[in-house]
Amino acid sequence: MTAAIRRRSSFRVVTLALLCILGLISSTGCLSREQAGRSLTLVNTERARRGLPELGWDENAAIKAQAWAERLAATRTLQHSRLTDGIFGTWNALGENVGFARTVDETHVGFMNSPRHRDAILNGQFTSMGVGVASNGGLTFVVQVFRG
């Protein structure tokens, strides 16, 4: 990972932590936002290892992803959303990964061990992503929405 990617990723995590401390993000949303930032960092680390540009944070995609992650956690099911629902503005490509495990890191390992999920993470058409994270009964549901 390049120093620039580490600095940007670290800045995002520190910013989210400060917002949580200041109470600008609700207490229930604080942990999920930190975990979403962790997911973005893991994705960008994989992309950097392969010489791909990092993905920027897409707040619109994150709102969609968070709502879907909460639905999956509430129903303890796993299914894809309708990709275009809730996505505003222009785009040329959309993608989505959905998964669950005990932690965001474990879910990331599962994504990378699955050819279809790994292909989305490493897709050169995507330029940004939003992540939603929700927990229920010891499971952490992760939704990654990619946009290009």
Side-chain angles (χ1 to χ4, degrees):
M1 178 176 357
T2 67
I5 291 172
R6 280 194 301 272
R7 279 193 304 274
R8 282 190 290 260
S9 296
S10 295
F11 177 76
R12 289 181 185 119
V13 171
V14 169
T15 301
L16 287 171
L18 287 172
L19 289 172
C20 290
I21 291 167
L22 294 173
L24 296 176
I25 298 177
S26 71
S27 60
T28 57
C30 183
L31 184 57
S32 64
R33 284 296 268 207
E34 286 180 24
Q35 292 176 335
R38 174 71 181 151
S39 181
L40 175 66
T41 297
L42 291 167
V43 165
N44 279 331
T45 298
E46 297 291 349
R47 291 175 65 88
R49 284 183 186 146
R50 292 158 178 87
L52 294 167
E54 77 171 24
L55 299 178
W57 183 257
D58 186 318
E59 188 62 26
N60 175 227
I63 291 167
K64 171 194 174 51
Q66 185 61 41
W68 195 248
E70 289 172 8
R71 178 175 175 192
L72 296 178
T75 60
R76 294 179 62 89
T77 60
L78 196 60
Q79 60 187 7
H80 285 278
S81 70
R82 188 170 148 196
L83 267 177
T84 55
D85 285 353
I87 296 294
F88 305 106
T90 60
W91 49 269
N92 294 315
L94 291 175
E96 178 181 67
N97 282 341
V98 298
F100 68 89
R102 290 178 298 170
T103 66
V104 168
D105 286 57
E106 286 182 10
T107 305
H108 178 75
V109 170
F111 286 158
M112 292 307 294
N113 286 332
S114 162
R116 291 183 74 164
H117 292 94
R118 183 178 54 247
D119 287 349
I121 288 170
L122 302 177
N123 187 325
Q125 291 182 335
F126 297 136
T127 57
S128 64
M129 73 181 285
V131 181
V133 179
S135 297
N136 184 357
L139 295 176
T140 301
F141 292 79
V142 178
V143 176
Q144 299 172 328
V145 176
F146 302 92
R147 186 197 305 235

